[in-house]
Amino acid sequence: MIDTIVNCIEMKLQDSEGSGLPLNVMIKATASGIDISFNGYSTATENNPGTPIFIENRNGVPHVLLWDDINKEDPSHVISLEGASIHLRVEPD
């Protein structure tokens, strides 16, 4: 199955530390997930720009996959957002 791009955004992310060095970012939404790529960054199996951040649906729960080492094929972090569900919010008394 070919994963069709539903939406693609290219932008410059401004520097929050004030150095003035913007970062080129591409965000692609497909049926299988959301790719976040940065010019000059990649993964072990992709060219520049690769996708060091990927968000996918696992049984109705968003998961964020992160690659912080370009020399390792598997993600360094897989973060479930299950704990961020609005259904878990405890309202103050």
Side-chain angles (χ1 to χ4, degrees):
M1 177 176 131
I2 297 175
D3 206 8
T4 304
I5 295 175
V6 176
N7 201 352
C8 183
I9 299 170
E10 291 187 49
M11 59 180 280
K12 288 192 182 295
L13 184 63
Q14 297 304 314
D15 180 14
S16 65
E17 298 294 318
S19 74
L21 296 173
L23 188 59
N24 293 326
V25 181
M26 183 175 1
I27 303 168
K28 289 188 293 187
T30 67
S32 63
I34 299 169
D35 300 333
I36 303 175
S37 303
F38 307 93
N39 191 33
Y41 294 83
S42 192
T43 65
T45 59
E46 299 176 301
N47 292 322
N48 180 32
T51 304
I53 302 173
F54 184 71
I55 303 169
E56 67 182 8
N57 175 7
R58 293 187 180 183
N59 297 313
V61 177
H63 281 70
V64 181
L65 287 71
L66 302 171
W67 285 260
D68 69 357
D69 187 336
I70 195 166
N71 298 304
K72 295 186 179 171
E73 191 169 328
D74 294 329
S76 55
H77 302 79
V78 177
I79 303 166
S80 169
L81 298 182
E82 185 171 19
S85 172
I86 60 172
H87 296 48
L88 298 176
R89 178 175 284 145
V90 176
E91 297 297 331
D93 294 330

